[in-house]
Amino acid sequence: MTGVYSIRGDEPIFVVEKVANVLVLKLIADPAASNYHSKQFEYNRMMKTVSEPEVQQLLFDFGDCVNVDSVTVGILTSLAGHLNEFGGRTAMCNCSQKVRRLIARLIKLEPAGKQTVWPHYSSRRQAIETLCSESN
């Protein structure tokens, strides 16, 4: 742990990767267990990242994720909404049925204008190929 995370006692909730022209945010196993201040820091860090002009495709990878909370879903919704305002696209992959049901319930808590559904792909490769082909 380094920086703000070591002070707060937890890790970032995202592992950030760039694959092809897709920004991949891989969620940790239990982002719900991270404290609120770290989530705020992550939100600010990721908002700067998705605001970069070259970011047009965003993929949430839930491969390791077993639990989410309303704050995390709010972060995902805000990041995707910001990108969508500028013509970008968002998808998700590797999400278990349990986590997908939880996300669907938590998204209903978002304001009406922010409620959204992202296309789900069973693999990262499939998601990236689709996002990249749609951008051409």
Side-chain angles (χ1 to χ4, degrees):
M1 288 184 276
T2 60
V4 71
Y5 300 106
S6 64
I7 294 168
R8 294 187 175 128
D10 59 5
E11 297 286 340
I13 63 171
F14 300 112
V15 174
V16 181
E17 300 175 54
K18 184 85 170 190
V19 180
N21 289 324
V22 179
L23 180 67
V24 180
L25 301 182
K26 185 169 185 166
L27 283 88
I28 62 171
D30 189 4
S34 294
N35 68 50
Y36 184 75
H37 293 293
S38 289
K39 288 178 192 174
Q40 280 183 311
F41 184 81
E42 279 286 79
Y43 170 80
N44 292 331
R45 179 174 79 102
M46 291 299 96
M47 191 57 78
K48 286 178 187 172
T49 302
V50 300
S51 295
E52 294 173 5
E54 66 273 7
V55 176
Q56 289 298 308
Q57 293 95 344
L58 179 61
L59 177 61
F60 301 127
D61 185 339
F62 288 85
D64 296 334
C65 187
V66 296
N67 189 29
V68 293
D69 63 327
S70 61
V71 175
T72 301
V73 170
I75 291 169
L76 301 177
T77 302
S78 291
L79 293 173
H82 180 76
L83 186 66
N84 292 343
E85 285 179 28
F86 297 98
R89 286 178 309 287
T90 305
M92 59 193 272
C93 67
N94 298 322
C95 194
S96 70
Q97 286 296 325
K98 174 190 166 207
V99 173
R100 284 176 72 185
R101 284 192 300 271
L102 186 55
I103 290 168
R105 278 185 289 183
L106 292 171
I107 281 180
K108 290 178 182 175
L109 298 175
E110 293 292 315
K114 287 189 164 197
Q115 293 180 8
T116 187
V117 175
W118 306 294
H120 179 263
Y121 299 92
S122 57
S123 74
R124 180 189 278 206
R125 180 179 178 176
Q126 181 187 26
I128 290 172
E129 286 175 356
T130 302
L131 285 170
C132 287
S133 69
E134 289 177 355
S135 68
N136 294 329

